[in-house]
Amino acid sequence: MSEDYAPMWKSLGMDLNAHDALLGVLEQGYRDIYLAQKNRPEGMGYFDFVMSEVHGLRIKELLDEKKQNRKIIGSYCVFVPEEIVLAGGATLVGLCSGADFAVEEVEKYLPRNTCSLIKSSFGFKLGRVCPYLESADMIVGENTCDGKKKAYETFAGMVDNLYVMDLPQVKSSQGRALLKEEFERFKTAVEELTGNKITVEALKEGVKVVNAKRAALHRLAILRKADPAPISGLDALLANQVFFYDNPARFTESVNKICDELEVRIKENQGAFPLKTPRILISGCPMAVPNWKLPWIIETSGAVIVGEESCVGERGSRNLTDDSGQSMDELMEAITDRYFKVDCAIFTPNRDRSDHIVEMAKAYGANGVIHYGLQFCQPYIMESIPVENTLEDLGMPCMRIETDYGMEDVGQLKTRVEAFIEQISD
Amino acid sequence: MIYAGIDIGSRSIELVLVENEKVIETRQTDTGFDPISQAKKVMKGVNFDQIMATGYGRNLFEVAYDNASTVTEIKAHAAGVRLEFPEALAILDIGGQDSKSIRLNDQGRVVKFEMNDRCAAGTGKFLEIMAHNLGFSLDEFGPAALAVQKDLQINSMCTVFAESEVTSLIAKGQDRQEIARGLHLSVVKRAVGMLNRVGAQGPIVFSGGVAQNPCMVQMMADALGKEVLVPDNPQMMGALGAAMIMAKKE
């Protein structure tokens, strides 16, 4: 495949050798982690294809869209409202941040004790290996954690199209007002970028498309309540990851197709894992492609993941946007309402997140929760202690893991995960 | 039926054979550079019906040896310790490469555990390197530290940084026994933190190779203000537990 797309990547100014090496690692990882799984739903074939073409065909599609004068907007966060992007006639894509790359180069710009996710986003830029980033007409940064906030100040010097969105940190009326204002400002920025005036009809359509995408993930999530679990956590995570890259309508259709298949599986008592396999809920930091380390360890140690309380997961996709509004202001209010409910750890206090973890653990029949914190991710690691206490007070076992994208701690993690599975399944 | 438990740790390998809930044989060897051939060596000439492996080499062993089951060190230590101390609710295990604290419920089930992550701070390896730096054999190290009253404060938990800290204390002409005591105290503080994090209740059973160090045991008891119990053969707890779990599984 590198043969066919090389001219395209070159036209994007990418480093072909480094990119080939990256794709080699990605392919190998995908084979070892994904294709090695047993009892996968047939519908996952679509996602296997998407992954095999993640820097190929999908980029070609985006470049074709660009030729038709459609703009591409890249983002690193679930607070960037896709509804508005679509309404402006642009396409939203998630940008690469799930693997270590050009670490030495990155550490010229960022302190060593920066989380892997932020470092990765820099690594993909500095190494010129993210075709999404290089295709984007506008890159949206956002003031979430301190690490990202400050990193965007430096990142602004590396790209010429960074737009930074401010975000509230308190769920107060002032906080909500700030979010609303920022969404209005973003709407204007999208209009300026695309030259399209966003109309009520277009925004309603944007809401509809994004709601359908989320609804498909909600349907998938509900099916995972079954025992035996009809789909592995790895495969469900992949669907949640591809959510950020794929054409929205095609994604929705593909996830719904898998759901149809899973419904049949459930009726026939078929599963990706045997009945009574210990069930784990993962909660914490987002896992961007190809960050599959912890789920892979868990699901090769005798447990199945039944939910992700994560931005790449239920925290990011929970709640639809109310589409009943008839005016621009009503729709913008509805969009603000929907995003203001996202319980990211940058908010203080953030009781909703803790409640959601408990609710999810119960709803999905989890036997235990593994809290996943990226090393140096202060907001989530800080929250992990009260989360653990809350869960344990309710009799729900919880283990806190702190790790990064490196593989050198896999042995240690495997021992801890296996011991946790022994603990919850005895 | 004879059940075997093998604990393939980073520093040593232990083998325990159990028949009718009684230990009938124990063996031990160094792990060296080739854990599987060392494991085979230690198993030479012993007969058993079923074997269960634990320790960091358990998965290697499972691949190399047909019909072996595996269990983590955490569960294995819990089972081994409960055989000797049926009422134990809290375990501290400090081995060569890792340290862990475990809380058990009345039935002896693991309800919470903590493990050190990627570095060797606060483990047997840390003490071994420090003993060497101060010119003590591992056997002399604990008694030498126990023999003095004053402990010099060691701030670094990282083996590498602690080494340079020790070097500078030596250069200042400080007493090496007091430095040794300070090093023990730094490991103790870390272990106390781990025990607190799991909410350890009642007397602490101290297992793993480091439990053979009298200074560690004494200082742990002082720091916790409670009884610290050491099994007769603390290094065997993992292998013993694995054998017992195998026996119960059958």
Side-chain angles (χ1 to χ4, degrees), chain A residues 142-354:
Chain A
E142 77 303 318
N143 293 342
T144 42
C145 64
D146 286 352
K148 276 183 138 190
K149 256 188 283 200
K150 301 310 284 185
Y152 287 128
E153 293 175 11
T154 307
F155 202 65
M158 297 177 182
V159 295
D160 56 9
N161 53 359
L162 181 70
Y163 172 97
V164 178
M165 180 185 280
D166 197 16
L167 288 177
Q169 311 229 320
V170 179
K171 301 260 170 108
S172 57
S173 53
Q174 296 95 317
R176 192 188 171 286
L178 170 64
L179 188 65
K180 171 89 193 300
E181 261 174 56
E182 280 298 292
F183 282 178
E184 292 286 358
R185 188 170 71 92
F186 179 64
K187 181 173 146 258
T188 307
V190 171
E191 286 174 337
E192 278 168 9
L193 178 77
T194 60
N196 300 328
K197 182 90 189 136
I198 293 178
T199 62
V200 172
E201 289 67 38
L203 193 52
K204 258 180 119 60
E205 179 60 22
V207 169
K208 198 176 119 195
V209 170
V210 183
N211 273 350
K213 196 162 103 151
R214 291 188 189 118
L217 282 183
H218 298 171
R219 188 178 162 208
L220 177 65
I222 289 167
L223 295 171
R224 293 167 76 192
K225 291 180 179 175
D227 186 14
I231 185 168
S232 69
L234 274 166
D235 279 338
L237 172 64
L238 189 65
N240 278 285
Q241 290 174 330
V242 170
F243 177 91
F244 294 91
Y245 296 93
D246 205 2
N247 170 284
R250 189 173 58 204
F251 174 84
T252 303
E253 190 194 322
S254 306
V255 173
N256 277 321
K257 220 160 125 190
I258 290 183
C259 291
D260 293 341
E261 186 185 345
L262 297 187
E263 278 168 2
V264 176
R265 276 189 162 202
I266 292 168
K267 246 180 232 153
E268 294 172 349
N269 266 318
Q270 299 290 313
F273 290 83
L275 185 75
K276 303 279 176 215
T277 297
R279 300 162 70 87
I280 285 175
L281 175 75
I282 288 194
S283 168
C285 292
M287 293 176 183
V289 171
N291 177 14
W292 301 309
K293 180 168 95 169
L294 185 63
W296 168 64
I297 291 172
I298 293 170
E299 296 201 325
T300 51
S301 297
V304 58
I305 297 160
V306 292
E308 299 78 24
E309 191 281 318
S310 163
C311 290
V312 184
E314 211 157 311
R315 186 189 318 126
S317 65
R318 181 184 291 122
N319 300 319
L320 301 180
T321 302
D322 179 2
D323 61 356
S324 64
Q326 295 302 328
S327 68
M328 185 57 76
D329 197 54
E330 280 173 324
L331 289 171
M332 289 300 284
E333 289 288 343
I335 291 170
T336 306
D337 279 338
R338 189 264 159 199
Y339 285 86
F340 199 50
K341 286 189 198 129
V342 175
D343 44 13
C344 171
I346 60 152
F347 283 95
T348 180
N350 195 26
R351 183 59 204 263
D352 284 355
R353 176 168 171 245
S354 173

Side-chain angles (χ1 to χ4, degrees), chain B residues 61-96:
Chain B
F61 187 84
E62 193 185 19
V63 174
Y65 196 90
D66 287 345
N67 301 320
S69 319
T70 62
V71 64
T72 64
E73 299 92 293
I74 289 98
K75 191 174 171 183
H77 272 268
V81 162
R82 288 285 283 209
L83 197 68
E84 198 160 327
F85 302 98
E87 319 258 283
L89 297 177
I91 301 171
L92 172 68
D93 167 57
I94 307 184

